[in-house]
Amino acid sequence: MLLLVTAALWWAAPAAASASAPTGAADGGRVAFIGVPGLMWSDVDPANTPHLWRLAGQSGLGSVSVKTVGTVTCPYDGWLTVSAGVRSAVGRRCGLPPEPVAQGGGAVVAEVPGLLELTDGTYAGTLGTAVHAAGQCTTAIGKGAALGLADRQGRVDVYAARPADLADWSRCRVLAVDVADLVETYLQDGAILPLTPEPLAPKVRAELAHQADAEIGEVLAKLPAGTEIVLAGIGDHGGVPHLRAAMWKRPGAPQGGSAGEVSGPSVKTNSTRRADITVLPDLTPTILAAAGIAPPSTVVGQPWGLGDVTTPEDLRISDVSGTSVRGTTGVFFTAFAVLQVAFYVLAYLLLRRRARLGLVGVAAVVLASVPVSTYAVNLLPWERSAYPVATLIGGVLACAAVIASVALLGPWRRDPLGPPAAVAATTAAVLVGDLLTGTTLQFDSLMGYTAVVGGRYYGLANIPFALLATAVLMVTAIAAQHLVRAGRRTAAVAGVAGLGVVAMLLAGWPGVGSDFGGVIAFVPGIAVTALLVAGKRVSVLKLAAFCVLGGVAVSVIAVLDHLRPPASQTHLGRFVGQVIDGTFLPMIARKLGAMLNTMLSPNLMPIVIAGLAFLIFAVLRPGQISAGVVPQAFARAPMLRAGLVGALVSGVVGMLVNDSGTAVLSMVVALAVPLVLHAGVRLPAPDEPLGSPADERGRHDDVLAGEA
């Protein structure tokens, strides 16, 4: 009932908003798409690229995430994606698009029929076919433009190899230009995109940008008056992905930008729900909308719109932020895995000797504070530092120190369950607050996502889901422990179920969390925790039923999203459309492959193995592994066990239904097990009351550890 009532209020608002969303010239104007593979905002300045700078002053400004199928996107894949309106690729390392064959005044791209037989080329020719179906013709300059505008037979009506070769610029209302100067020099080994990040010196790249700018200036001078201009960098130039520049000049736009600082409205799209970031498939409906042509149903992109004011410098910083996070993530997760394993080894040695228990407890809280700190650090402008990576890592460590200090020194420290509850509550509060404010903390974060990688652009990612589910279940379980102790078991069960369902709805709701697999995994975790708090047994049959219930819940949410207008739908609703038209299998196959690949991750599996091994053996052989502190914690605070089991259930199910696979379970373990261990160190034996000498000795060890 809560789901349906909320849906009724939510469903109507986006429908009304979508009616006023910009869709281009409805009466069918002229549009010129200029594709510049490799173009970044750092290439654009008033001295070296004056034509681009002037165009920027007359345009909406944004960035394009050019991710298609692989890690980097070659010009071939970029133009193919524009042609298809969905992420597309030729299935191998590639370079420039194929050379078209001249035919009369036009040309034929002979490779298009073959591309249609590829898994990731099924929709090649969608853009050109839509233009022809509307009774319009296409003009292409350069081989990339020919691929982008070719119909499903590979035909382009008017073709010229260079701008100087085109005689009639006004014959067709849909025109595309391939400006490849900035990327051609990078290609090697038979025109294949290099794997090296920056194989050319900055001076050489500046010269290439100047050459590209001169060709763009030639094109701009010849376009008929009133032509809508869509310009975008549509591919990468090396082995490291970047955000690429985007400009959108519409008829009647103000003139300017020849000197000084440029600013303009941001280019945005519903595909990313970001103020200034679009994706490659958005170019297809944007071009069609400018020509007054409705996009085919297979096009997954959304037309561009305009937002708040931005500047080239802001967009350059966005690329710095994304590439810094991407380049640091592997090292960070390796270091975090090493730290986790080292912690369990140290804990094993100290617990066997019953020595320095306070040190173990403090270290556990500090370690559990690290994940949420990777999001909290985005409250600081670290990306604008002269040394962004160092500032990012330093900021994460500083945030972890602050969160751990608050947990260990706050007024709740006298309760052995207080510090774990504080860390879990902080983690849940940060992630819920982030969901309610547009996920600005998860975006460009070490345990979140970035547009440079292009896997997700908004909502709750898989690792944050694991942390949110674990934090909510652990903190509600700890609260339930106090309620059960006070004789209020029914209230405890209601609290776990109620807060869990609210968090689950936030995780899965379109436009908020938009997490498909998260809902499926969260429901059984909530149900198992609630049953254990109620003192009930959990059978395999019940667990399977809870998983099915999670699937039903997310299906209802996705169908409700699909019933909204296409411009308002998130990927949940669009997935329902793919299921209906039978085009969902390639996407499912890619996600399954990604999930299986994580099973062998050297950064994630050590966290799972070390944490679960310590936990299991600490329960089975407590005398040798944990000096009895873990079973002691479960005996003294049985609701803590309920929260841990529920979190692990969500972690295992989440690992199986999400493309991040092991990453989900590893983060559940990384947060939950240290919190349980801290409680075990602090809690007295079951036959000793809280505040007993044993408990006081635990606090005394904490003080000594803090002084050390």
Side-chain angles (χ1 to χ4, degrees), residues 22 63 76 80 118 126 130 132 135 141 408 424 427 457 495 532 586 598 607 619-620 642 646 663 682 687 702:
S63 297
Y76 196 150
L80 180 58
L118 299 177
T126 296
H132 286 161
I141 302 175
L408 292 167
T427 301
Y457 303 93
L532 293 177
T598 65
I607 298 176
V619 173
L620 295 180
R682 290 285 309 279
D687 57 347
D702 284 342

Side-chain angles (χ1 to χ4, degrees), residues 164-414:
D165 297 335
L166 183 63
D168 187 355
W169 287 74
S170 61
R171 176 178 169 184
C172 299
R173 291 181 3 194
V174 178
L175 178 145
V177 185
D178 180 11
V179 180
D181 306 69
L182 193 54
V183 74
E184 285 180 335
T185 307
Y186 283 87
L187 301 177
Q188 59 188 17
D189 300 331
I192 293 176
L193 198 66
L195 297 177
T196 48
E198 298 291 343
L200 300 182
K203 183 178 180 180
V204 175
R205 181 171 179 85
E207 293 174 354
L208 296 175
H210 183 73
Q211 294 174 19
D213 180 75
E215 185 171 343
I216 291 169
E218 182 181 357
V219 171
L220 296 177
K222 295 182 177 181
L223 289 176
T227 300
E228 185 167 327
I229 299 172
V230 178
L231 183 146
I234 60 169
D236 291 305
H237 64 270
V240 173
H242 285 269
L243 294 178
R244 304 295 166 177
M247 304 180 196
W248 187 23
K249 180 182 177 182
R250 310 186 74 186
Q255 303 296 305
S258 58
E261 183 59 44
V262 161
S263 64
S266 62
V267 173
K268 63 179 184 178
T269 175
N270 193 54
S271 296
T272 65
R273 296 179 180 262
R274 293 291 167 189
D276 53 15
I277 296 175
T278 68
V279 294
L280 274 183
D282 293 332
L283 289 167
T284 309
T286 301
I287 295 167
L288 290 172
I293 301 171
S297 60
T298 58
V299 171
V300 301
Q302 299 292 321
W304 285 1
L306 295 177
D308 297 332
V309 173
T310 189
T311 68
E313 178 62 14
D314 292 336
L315 298 170
R316 185 191 69 81
I317 291 296
S318 294
D319 181 56
V320 170
S321 178
T323 53
S324 297
V325 167
R326 180 189 178 275
T328 309
T329 298
V331 175
F332 174 80
F333 272 101
T334 299
F336 189 60
V338 170
L339 194 62
Q340 288 266 335
V341 173
F343 166 72
Y344 292 118
V345 171
L346 177 64
Y348 166 72
L349 295 175
L350 293 178
L351 289 172
R352 283 197 63 184
R353 299 180 180 181
R354 296 290 298 177
R356 308 296 291 175
L357 300 187
L359 177 63
V360 174
V362 170
V365 169
V366 172
L367 198 61
S369 301
V370 171
V372 67
S373 300
T374 63
Y375 312 119
V377 72
N378 277 350
L379 294 170
L380 307 173
W382 59 265
E383 68 277 8
R384 295 184 179 273
S385 165
Y387 304 98
V389 172
T391 306
L392 171 62
I393 297 300
V396 169
L397 296 178
C399 289
V402 170
I403 293 170
S405 297
V406 170
L408 292 167
L409 302 177
W412 42 78
R413 69 185 184 278
R414 296 187 179 279

Side-chain angles (χ1 to χ4, degrees), residues 570-625:
T570 68
H571 66 278
L572 298 179
R574 291 194 290 272
F575 175 72
V576 174
Q578 290 177 302
V579 171
I580 293 173
D581 62 27
T583 60
F584 68 100
L585 289 178
M587 184 268 289
I588 293 294
R590 285 196 295 268
K591 288 185 175 293
L592 179 61
M595 183 271 287
L596 294 175
N597 286 336
T598 65
M599 299 297 183
L600 302 176
S601 170
N603 295 331
L604 300 173
M605 281 307 297
I607 298 176
V608 175
I609 293 172
L612 288 181
F614 182 89
L615 181 65
I616 292 170
F617 284 102
V619 173
L620 295 180
R621 303 180 63 187
Q624 291 79 19
I625 303 300

Side-chain angles (χ1 to χ4, degrees), residues 33 35-38 66 73-75 77-79 82 232-236 244 280 283:
F33 171 56
V36 193
V66 298
T73 298
C74 69
D77 288 350
W79 280 108
V82 173
I234 60 169
D236 291 305
R244 304 295 166 177
L280 274 183
L283 289 167

Side-chain angles (χ1 to χ4, degrees), residues 41-54 206-207 209-211 213-214 257-262:
W41 278 109
S42 56
D43 297 315
V44 182
D45 68 71
N48 191 54
T49 57
H51 299 102
L52 280 169
W53 188 260
R54 187 175 301 109
E207 293 174 354
H210 183 73
Q211 294 174 19
D213 180 75
S258 58
E261 183 59 44
V262 161

